[in-house]
Amino acid sequence: MTDDVLIRTEGAAGFLSLNRPKAIHALTLPMVHAMTAALLAWRDDPAVQVVILDHAVAPDGDPKLSRGFCAGGDIAFLRNSALNDGGASGRQFFFDEYRLNHLIFTYPKPVVTFMDGITMGGGVGLAGPSQYRVATEATRLAMPETGIGLFPDVGGGWYLSRLHGRLGQYLALTGARLDGAECLWADLATHYLPSAATAAAKARIAADPSAVAATLHALAAVPPEPKIAAVAETIARTFASDRYEDILAALAAEDGDWARATLETLGHKSPQTCKVALRQLHDSLSLTDFADNMAMEYRVASRVLVRPDFAEGVRAVIVDKDHTPRWNPATPEGVTDDLIEAIFAPLPADEEWTPLP
């Protein structure tokens, strides 16, 4: 077990509180294993009727150490794996993390995730499959993987492809951040509460787990107008194609500051990742089982982990922090259909992802 996840029961609730504040609670493999073990133990425990997933708050209340729910996965660890062990330990991380995502998705008891703060990458992977997803004024949700040469995994293909108006394709390619009001508008959150009301919500849920929805409704606040709604029609039009070059052309032909800024943003993203994400969302939408989505994403993860863009993207953002990644291939045109096919191809039967037995 690990101190990076605080595991406890209170009333009829099991609590999983992420506790790596200096890393904004980014997930490590021991954290994944600890949460999985707790969920399996509680699954058939009649004393635990609901699971609450949140982040621990710094004892001294330091806001810098209480900034988020979960900033993602341990990408420094994954880069080290790509460079030093051929991706073996990184593939193990993805395999087990995806099993946790699937366990939450199929869990027989309600899971309530409080996205009170930064919720990115692996944090979306924990919140997305939860039955109740609570946003606050502090929520900042994003799938920023195109900026590090990975791809929007942990179930991102499933959630993003099913958003309205091509919003998922926009989020997957640009890594745009949504605030809590925008998450509620987009259906990425089920409820919007003030941060100040989250402690009371958790206490009430633990005391009466049969009334989760009523409790969240009673404590909910009216969110501000979602800013992204103003450009929703433009997003739907410019991101309509599953071909990346068509999206770039549509943005270039669009008048206005938003389109210019979006095109500028995409100019810094990994062309490989953008094409992978579009294929991922296209394929996921045709799937009817979340496990099939995770098997598809594991195939992709096992390959992009050891391709040049991931190590280079993490170098540029995390290691050297020069924010000037040298992508390979460097252009959308250089990312061939054959390359994408190879990334999505089935793995050998004994290497394919499977849910927990």
Side-chain angles (χ1 to χ4, degrees), residues 18 20-21 24-26 54-57 63-71 114-119 138 140:
L18 307 181
R20 281 187 77 210
I24 318 181
H25 315 291
D54 62 4
H55 73 277
V57 177
K64 290 183 178 180
L65 297 183
S66 305
R67 288 183 294 159
F69 167 56
C70 177
F114 286 85
M115 306 184 294
D116 186 26
I118 293 170
T119 305
R140 297 294 181 270

Side-chain angles (χ1 to χ4, degrees), residues 11 104 154 160 193 325:
I104 297 172
V154 291
L160 296 178
L193 269 63

